[in-house]
């Protein structure tokens, strides 16, 4: 985004459409020249030249009244907390230590996939060639001209009356050869507080940056066309929200939302969308995956990574408390993995994040005691309910909160009574906690070289047909398994209902480039010099005829991981089926489970179901990828069909 280009577009727009609306642009432009900017914190002259240029360009565009250069200190953090608390944007959760609750504008509660764009000169660098007449479901493309226009329209003067914050942040430990630096400009204090938890943010990063390049991130909660607002405490512009990425110049521009992945630009925008394009160029992988270590009673430790779509169990698996005696789980990360093969050909993973932005509903001392411990201090809760004794509440805490004696105030701020037809908390309500709060954080979680990966898991919410676990036949088949992930829609994005959606590699909302090329990139990992992890597919969400989950899940998922570890160790505990290897009867440890799960049903492979599944996947590929689908995937479909038809 070049300010001269934007200036030119603005003037052109204003000339061609002499409406009042565009007159505003001209006025803004003129005003800009006489505006002064007050730097309220930090010194602009001490910024590296490239950072200074970036800030000046964005100040000129957005016209903030003030500039605050963040140092990341506790003092700065406390001051910002006070500002937000005084305004009433956040409230203290007095029962916990230094914890806060934010209630957002009800129109700004989740990622908006339909308004997320990848901008490239060539359309098909960003999105696959779909069938004529089919709108690609694998990302949205924007031309550089359209992006410049959008930026000019949306951002001109959008920070008037506000403070612009400059946040230097590192994805990955500061200084690690695998880490990358971003500079985010934002007009939201809430975003500053959250980014300080989710990334390594502050002065140390700026020092380390020097005059090197960085990912440029511009964010504004926006100014709605009509200044009227349902919730003045949470300004946003839902009608005009746009999240734009320019991989060729490492730029992210996000307008109109202050929530989660839309506004904490280090996470999905940088670590996945821009990250995946950098990874493609440099020969590594940026994935929507948890990373955790499993230790057996004999001391043998394996690290796994797992890609499940949003709200499908990554955080819970990453920090689970195993119900199998003598097993230990340690957490490296719960959402994003950057992985590359080292000189010895071992795949190594780092977690580029510094905190957890986890789903609140469903979290309790039984399902995830480690998360409950993690959120006890220094946490920002968003869109959960509050209790009259200064605590928090959400669906799943029924047995832990005294609902008969306490008053509950729901996520919208209204009094809430148990049994009410409305939920107390938004389905995508979250906790934002520093990683260091996690009592089972792995000792190597910040190791600059990353941890060695033995197995890669894929999975999703599949109420029907898909077994509890199966192992891919080989790497190529595993890539096909990843490309074929389907899962029930959740409230992490704007989709309503529980339709089964395609979510290849759990990355559908996060691809930074053409998914066909992404598959090729995965296939290219198969080299003699590289030891490939085994690939598995898991499904904790299969339901019985009564509509209940057949598998207890959570800590009992350790039983499935235990089987996976045995496969990684080369044990003969599997039988081959047309879709892959499943546990030999009796090899998956279910002892002690009450009631005994219906393993026959959980591991059942219905050929008809999988033939239909294959037809659906082939149709999806044909419609959405056409010629961009690598031949290897067609070969996998053919081979799987043959195996199923025998
Ligand atoms: P994102 O942060 O959106 O990427 O989600 P995630 O993949 O980390 O999902 P998370 O672990 O937060 O789980 C999402 C929801 O699924 C929560 O309500 C959990 O309680 C529920 N869940 C997680 N694991 C299991 C499981 O093993 N069984 C069942 N039945 N539910 C689970
Ligand atoms: C997800 O939706 O996968 C998340 C939450 O992890 S957000 O950061 O909002 O993308
Ligand atoms: Mn996620």
């Amino acid at each position: 985004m070049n300010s001269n280009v934007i200036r030119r577009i603005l003037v052109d727009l204003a000339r061609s459409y002499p409406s009042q609306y565009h007159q505003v642009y001209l006025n803004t432009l003129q005003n800009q020249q006489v505006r002064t900017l007050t730097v309220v914190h930090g010194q602009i002259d001490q910024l590296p030249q490239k950072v200074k240029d970036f800030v000046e360009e964005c100040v000129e565009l957005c016209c903030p009244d003030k500039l605050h250069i963040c140092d990341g200190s506790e003092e700065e953090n406390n001051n910002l907390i006070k500002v937000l608390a005084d305004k009433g944007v956040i409230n203290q959760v007095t029962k916990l230590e230094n914890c806060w609750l934010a209630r957002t504008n009800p129109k700004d509660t989740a990622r908006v996939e339909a308004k997320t764009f990848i901008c490239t000169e060539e359309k098909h660098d960003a999105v696959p060639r779909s069938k004529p007449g089919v709108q690609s479901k694998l990302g949205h493309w924007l031309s550089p001209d359209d992006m410049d226009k959008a930026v000019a329209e949306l951002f001109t003067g959008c920070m008037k009356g506000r403070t612009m914050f400059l946040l230097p942040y590192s994805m990955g430990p500061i200084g690690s050869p695998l880490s990358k630096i971003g500079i985010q400009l934002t007009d939201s204090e809430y975003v500053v507080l959250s980014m300080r938890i989710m990334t390594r943010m502050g002065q140390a990063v700026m020092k380390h940056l020097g005059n090197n390049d960085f990912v440029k991130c511009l964010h504004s909660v926006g100014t709605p066309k009509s200044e009227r607002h349902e919730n003045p405490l949470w300004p946003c512009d839902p009608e005009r929200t746009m999240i734009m990425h320019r991989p060729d110049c490492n730029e992210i521009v996000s307008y109109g939302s202050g929530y989660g992945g839309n506004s904490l630009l280090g996470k999905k925008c940088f670590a996945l969308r821009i990250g995946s394009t950098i990874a493609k160029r440099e020969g590594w992988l940026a994935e929507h995956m948890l990373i955790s270590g499993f230790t057996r009673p004999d001391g043998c430790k394996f690290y796994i990574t797992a890609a499940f779509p949003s709200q499908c169990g990554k955080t819970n698996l990453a920090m689970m408390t195993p119900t199998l005696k003598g097993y230990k789980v340690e957490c490296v990360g719960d959402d994003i993995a950057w992985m590359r093969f080292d000189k010895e050909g071992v795949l190594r993973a780092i977690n580029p994040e510094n905190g957890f932005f986890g789903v609140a509903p469903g979290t309790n001392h039984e399902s995830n005691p480690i998360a409950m411990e993690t959120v006890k201090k220094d946490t920002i809760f968003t869109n959960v309910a509050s209790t009259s004794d200064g605590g928090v509440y959400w669906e799943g805490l029924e047995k832990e909160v005294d609902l008969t004696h306490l008053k509950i105030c729901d996520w919208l701020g209204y009094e809430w009574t148990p049994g009410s037809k409305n939920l107390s908390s938004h389905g995508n309500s979250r906790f934002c906690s520093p990683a260091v709060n996690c009592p089972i954080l792995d000792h190597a979680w910040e190791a600059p070289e990353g941890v060695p990966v033995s197995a890669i898991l894929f999975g999703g919410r599949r109420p029907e047909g898909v077994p509890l676990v199966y192992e891919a036949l080989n790497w190529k088949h595993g890539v096909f398994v990843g490309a074929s992930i389907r899962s029930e829609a959740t409230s992490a994005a704007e989709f309503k209902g529980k339709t089964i959606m395609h979510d290849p590699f759990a990355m559908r909302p996060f691809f930074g480039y053409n998914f066909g090329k992404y598959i090729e990139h995965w296939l290219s990992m198969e080299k003699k010099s590289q030891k490939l992890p085994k690939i598995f597919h898991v499904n904790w969400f299969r339901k019985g005829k009564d509509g209940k989950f057949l598998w207890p899940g959570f800590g009992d998922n350790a039983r499935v991981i235990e089987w996976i570890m045995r496969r990684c160790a080369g044990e003969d505990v599997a039988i081959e089926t047309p879709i892959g290897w499943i546990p030999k009867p009796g090899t998956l440890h279910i002892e002690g489970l009450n009631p005994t799960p219906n393993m026959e049903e959980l591991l059942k492979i219905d050929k008809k179901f999988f033939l239909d599944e294959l037809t659906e996947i082939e149709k999806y590929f044909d419609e959405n990828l056409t010629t961009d689908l690598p031949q290897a995937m067609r070969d996998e479909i053919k081979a799987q069909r043959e195996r199923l038809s025998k």
Side-chain angles (χ1 to χ4, degrees), residues 111 267-268 288 308-317 334-335 357-363 367-368 428 430-431 461 490 492 540-541 549 551-555 557:
R111 278 185 294 101
K267 199 172 175 56
K268 301 302 161 81
H288 190 202
F308 309 154
S310 301
Q311 294 208 356
C312 292
K314 288 182 300 301
T315 303
N316 279 272
L317 183 59
D334 80 325
D335 200 51
F357 186 59
V359 178
T363 309
S367 64
N368 193 346
N428 192 38
R430 300 215 170 220
F431 54 82
R461 289 178 179 263
T490 65
W540 317 140
F541 300 94
F549 292 119
W551 180 249
F554 302 104
N557 294 334

Side-chain angles (χ1 to χ4, degrees), residues 328-359:
K328 191 160 87 177
V329 174
E330 285 155 301
C331 176
V332 177
D334 80 325
D335 200 51
I336 298 176
W338 282 356
M339 304 190 286
R340 65 173 84 200
F341 287 92
D342 66 11
K343 284 198 203 79
E344 278 72 50
V346 175
L347 185 64
R348 292 188 166 269
I350 69 160
N351 169 14
E353 301 194 276
N354 191 46
F356 305 112
F357 186 59
V359 178

Side-chain angles (χ1 to χ4, degrees), residues 225-357:
K225 262 196 233 174
S226 66
E227 297 276 344
R228 260 185 324 110
H229 235 280
E230 283 172 38
N231 180 350
L233 294 181
W234 190 275
C236 57
D237 192 354
E239 285 81 30
R240 299 196 299 160
T241 293
M242 275 180 97
I243 297 116
M244 298 168 267
H245 309 71
R246 278 205 70 161
D248 59 348
C249 30
N250 284 347
E251 269 184 23
I252 303 163
V253 181
S254 165
Y255 174 89
S257 162
Y259 199 82
N262 300 334
S263 68
L264 314 179
L265 301 188
K267 199 172 175 56
K268 301 302 161 81
C269 300
F270 181 164
L272 291 179
R273 298 196 191 96
I274 297 290
S276 64
T277 66
I278 301 175
K280 169 82 164 62
R281 267 198 312 272
E282 298 181 353
W284 50 279
L285 300 163
E287 302 297 333
H288 190 202
M289 291 180 178
L290 69 92
I291 312 166
S292 50
F294 283 75
T295 309
R296 297 199 301 216
D298 66 3
C300 187
K301 184 169 184 178
F302 289 74
Y303 286 95
I304 63 158
T305 64
F308 309 154
S310 301
Q311 294 208 356
C312 292
K314 288 182 300 301
T315 303
N316 279 272
L317 183 59
M319 47 177 86
M320 69 143 86
T321 304
T323 54
L324 276 181
K325 249 183 128 181
Y327 286 79
K328 191 160 87 177
V329 174
E330 285 155 301
C331 176
V332 177
D334 80 325
D335 200 51
I336 298 176
W338 282 356
M339 304 190 286
R340 65 173 84 200
F341 287 92
D342 66 11
K343 284 198 203 79
E344 278 72 50
V346 175
L347 185 64
R348 292 188 166 269
I350 69 160
N351 169 14
E353 301 194 276
N354 191 46
F356 305 112
F357 186 59

Side-chain angles (χ1 to χ4, degrees), residues 523-587:
L523 291 168
S524 77
M525 298 295 143
E526 195 169 13
K527 293 189 190 117
K528 277 219 176 67
S529 57
Q530 296 183 168
K531 299 177 194 93
L532 296 168
K534 276 179 178 288
I535 295 179
F536 298 83
H537 189 281
V538 298
N539 176 26
W540 317 140
F541 300 94
R542 195 164 180 168
K543 288 180 176 168
K545 288 195 184 71
D546 57 1
K548 293 203 176 121
F549 292 119
L550 286 167
W551 180 249
F554 302 104
D556 287 315
N557 294 334
R559 298 166 186 272
V560 176
I561 307 299
E562 194 267 346
W563 181 82
I564 288 174
M565 285 166 64
R566 282 157 77 192
R567 287 300 291 162
C568 291
E571 282 187 42
D572 174 21
V573 287
I575 45 171
E576 197 173 344
T577 78
I579 64 156
W581 298 84
I582 63 165
K584 261 189 192 168
T587 58

